[in-house]
Amino acid sequence: MKKNIIRALSLVLVLIMMLGMFVSCKKNKEEEGTTNNPTDANSLRYNGEEINILGRKETSGIREYFDKYEDVAGHTVNEAIYNRNVYTTDQLNIVTTHKETDDSKAVSDATISHQSGGTYDVYCVYSLYASTLAVQGLYTNLKQYQFFDTTQPWYPSKLVKDATIFDKLYFVSGDVSMSNIFMSSLIYYNKDIYTNKQVGTKLKNTYGYDSIYDLAREGKWTVDVMFTLSKGIYADTDKDNTKSAGDTFGFGTYETLYDNFYYGAGLTTIKSTSKGLEMSDGFKNTDKISNILTTVNTFLKTNDGYTSGNTHEPVRTAFSQQRLLFYLAPATHAYTTFRTVPGLTYGVLPVPMYEANQDGGYQACLSNPYSMYGVASASNTPEIGAAYLHILGKNSYEITRPVFFDETMKLKYAENVDDSDMWDMVINSQSYDLGKVFCEQIGDKSPTVNNFRECIRLTTNDWNGKLTANRKAINNSLTTLNEQFKTLQ
């Protein structure tokens, strides 16, 4: 009897020990990130697994990724990118391999990877190609991972809201993309011309403001204000007795930036609803868009307005040579060109509104060459890819953004606190309209983007005609897209 009791007690003790070992093992697995639904990305740890990244080659003077320190030593921004990558892989205890590809080959490379069983785990592609990967089912839904917290500040809330389709999110951008800030649209203005032509006096007499920055802060910086201040600047600098690229102008831009007059008015083209992708009310507002076109086309016909058409070089040169008061262009020009121009003193302003204090405040659109990131649906370790992408975003926000934006764009390219404030307003104004991201899948010849540009190129204000001619094709394309998205996991 006594022996039986001892045996029973021993068995109980063994069971207790095994239970303790089971709990301990379970806890260790959770700490290593092997649970089905981890909720805190910062606690994720893996076992040295390798993930493969397909990324973009250098674009607009900056790369998205550096994996060798000797390639970056001595360059502050590039070292920050390298350090971000190292901290991310160390934190997650993973190894990454990175292959760069031309933008034009990204979709085919991703397709081959998908068909071969998942060569790559994470894709970093040109913004317009993210829509192609999403529609073809090459991305996985990032919202399925509880740790992928899209409310964090390194994800633009506008993008997360606009790009969520049928409650699924396939791609993200923001601080994780070094080209995102670069491609922000803004207005540069030449401070010397502003002073020498007494533009500040005109601002005071016409609008009652001593500072153009104060006017912008109070939501009064509009297209009409910019065009009014631009008048009277023109000079036949090259002495050829005609308006030409070598002259001095009040305002200038080029074709791929025309969209900003549309988005600057607080309009979008396509929206995501519970029913899927739909044409936005703004796109159908023919009276407002026709008025915008009339304002822009009328001014560009004057000598003070200049556009260099489908190439940026002539108008950028005009600003570099101090022959342009206001210049609508992406932030990349500050980094690639203007920082090396002797004697060039300029400030920045957000893209102007169409109406003062309009709903939503200042709005602008990113130039297309920024990057979108997503996790490959064919990946064998999609959770690790999602964890990598999320932590990379976090470290981008904490490591690369302070160096690249706060210390470089806001300090090196800003003379004072006012200029730094304007850089913040510029970045906060950027929108991610799906009509632009999905333009190549919508209608014939991307009408959600090209129609507005074409109206300015052809100097026509007939938006009603454009809408009528393209409405059916656009709606048919949206129906097809929605049917495709419904089939995706």
Side-chain angles (χ1 to χ4, degrees):
M1 180 73 177
K2 184 176 180 181
K3 289 182 178 179
N4 290 337
I5 293 174
I6 292 174
R7 287 194 188 101
L9 289 173
S10 299
L11 180 60
V12 170
L13 288 173
V14 170
L15 291 173
I16 291 173
M17 291 174 63
M18 291 178 64
L19 179 62
M21 292 173 64
F22 173 77
V23 171
S24 176
C25 289
K26 184 174 185 294
K27 181 178 180 182
N28 288 338
K29 285 181 179 293
E30 289 175 346
E31 289 175 350
E32 291 173 0
T34 56
T35 61
N36 291 328
N37 291 297
T39 58
D40 182 8
N42 292 312
S43 68
L44 295 175
R45 300 292 184 275
Y46 297 96
N47 298 311
E49 286 95 337
E50 180 178 345
I51 64 169
N52 298 301
I53 304 156
L54 180 67
R56 304 175 65 196
K57 288 186 177 179
E58 180 174 323
T59 176
S60 300
I62 197 165
R63 289 172 64 184
E64 295 280 345
Y65 199 93
F66 285 93
D67 55 5
K68 292 183 179 180
Y69 183 77
E70 57 263 33
D71 292 341
V72 303
H75 192 298
T76 306
V77 174
N78 291 344
E79 286 188 16
I81 298 172
Y82 172 82
N83 290 333
R84 172 202 67 175
N85 301 338
V86 171
Y87 293 161
T88 300
T89 54
D90 285 353
Q91 178 177 335
L92 292 171
N93 189 24
I94 62 174
V95 176
T96 60
T97 59
H98 184 267
K99 178 189 175 182
E100 290 184 336
T101 186
D102 293 328
D103 285 338
S104 61
K105 297 179 180 178
V107 172
S108 61
D109 285 348
T111 302
I112 293 171
S113 171
H114 188 82
Q115 293 172 343
S116 63
T119 304
Y120 301 106
D121 304 288
V122 174
Y123 298 131
C124 165
V125 300
Y126 184 88
S127 65
L128 300 188
Y129 299 150
S131 60
T132 304
L133 298 187
V135 171
Q136 292 182 359
L138 304 188
Y139 279 141
T140 189
N141 172 27
L142 296 171
K143 284 195 170 184
Q144 68 182 291
Y145 306 105
Q146 293 187 28
F147 60 78
F148 204 93
D149 183 3
T150 56
T151 66
Q152 294 296 332
W154 49 89
Y155 300 121
S157 58
K158 295 175 184 176
L159 173 62
V160 172
K161 178 180 179 295
D162 292 345
T164 297
I165 304 170
F166 293 124
D167 202 33
K168 294 181 175 67
L169 181 68
Y170 298 102
F171 47 78
V172 291
S173 189
D175 288 307
V176 69
S177 168
M178 297 304 300
S179 53
N180 189 280
I181 288 176
F182 256 10
M183 293 303 153
S184 298
S185 298
L186 56 94
I187 298 293
Y188 298 90
Y189 81 96
N190 184 295
K191 292 187 175 182
D192 288 336
I193 296 178
Y194 188 90
T195 299
N196 296 337
K197 292 291 186 177
Q198 298 183 330
V199 179
T201 301
K202 182 187 290 188
L203 177 76
K204 175 67 173 179
N205 293 340
T206 307
Y207 302 103
Y209 284 88
D210 293 310
S211 166
I212 196 169
Y213 297 120
D214 289 341
L215 178 135
R217 288 189 186 98
E218 294 187 19
K220 302 296 179 63
W221 173 237
T222 66
V223 173
D224 280 335
V225 172
M226 183 173 70
F227 287 167
T228 297
L229 298 180
S230 299
K231 293 176 181 177
I233 302 298
Y234 176 77
D236 185 16
T237 307
D238 60 8
K239 307 300 182 184
D240 64 353
N241 297 315
T242 186
K243 179 182 177 181
S244 60
D247 294 340
T248 298
F249 304 96
F251 168 83
T253 191
Y254 52 98
E255 189 170 314
T256 56
L257 274 292
Y258 293 166
D259 304 353
N260 282 288
F261 291 112
Y262 180 94
Y263 292 109
L267 301 174
T268 58
T269 62
I270 303 299
K271 61 183 178 180
S272 179
T273 72
S274 60
K275 298 179 181 179
L277 302 179
E278 297 181 355
M279 189 183 297
S280 71
D281 294 336
F283 196 70
K284 294 178 284 189
N285 192 336
T286 56
D287 288 341
K288 184 171 185 176
I289 299 173
S290 293
N291 289 337
I292 295 169
L293 289 169
T294 298
T295 299
V296 176
N297 285 331
T298 299
F299 178 78
L300 290 179
K301 286 181 180 178
T302 70
N303 282 345
D304 288 301
Y306 172 61
T307 172
S308 56
N310 61 4
T311 177
H312 67 268
E313 192 57 43
V315 68
R316 186 173 69 179
T317 297
F319 192 81
S320 297
Q321 295 178 353
Q322 306 206 53
R323 294 185 288 103
L324 198 61
L325 173 59
F326 293 116
Y327 177 36
L328 170 56
T332 181
H333 290 191
Y335 183 84
T336 59
T337 304
F338 300 152
R339 67 189 176 101
T340 62
V341 177
L344 178 62
T345 304
Y346 65 88
V348 298
L349 295 160
V351 169
M353 303 179 192
Y354 184 66
E355 299 170 325
N357 294 311
Q358 66 191 19
D359 291 342
Y362 294 104
Q363 300 289 325
C365 60
L366 291 162
S367 289
N368 292 333
Y370 68 95
S371 302
M372 291 283 202
Y373 284 76
V375 174
S377 59
S379 169
N380 295 312
T381 54
E383 180 191 293
I384 301 178
Y388 166 79
L389 184 52
H390 191 63
I391 297 301
L392 190 71
K394 172 180 178 291
N395 287 335
S396 297
Y397 179 74
E398 296 176 352
I399 298 171
T400 58
R401 183 187 178 98
V403 173
F404 178 55
F405 182 59
D406 296 331
E407 296 178 16
T408 302
M409 307 297 280
K410 289 178 61 178
L411 292 180
K412 291 184 180 179
Y413 305 154
E415 286 191 320
N416 51 46
V417 174
D418 287 328
D419 291 315
S420 294
D421 286 348
M422 293 301 110
W423 275 110
D424 283 327
M425 292 176 67
V426 165
I427 299 304
N428 292 334
S429 70
Q430 303 307 311
S431 65
Y432 300 81
D433 178 38
L434 290 188
K436 189 163 187 176
V437 177
F438 282 85
C439 68
E440 294 189 350
Q441 280 82 35
I442 299 176
D444 182 34
K445 298 181 180 179
S446 305
T448 49
V449 169
N450 288 331
N451 278 1
F452 188 82
R453 295 178 183 176
E454 188 174 83
C455 284
I456 295 180
R457 183 171 67 249
L458 300 178
T459 320
T460 177
N461 311 325
D462 183 17
W463 185 253
N464 184 59
K466 284 290 184 185
L467 181 62
T468 300
N470 289 276
R471 184 191 291 267
K472 183 177 180 180
I474 293 173
N475 285 330
N476 287 342
S477 296
L478 295 179
T479 298
T480 300
L481 285 171
N482 288 332
E483 290 174 351
Q484 290 174 299
F485 277 117
K486 286 177 182 178
T487 66
L488 300 180
Q489 298 296 320

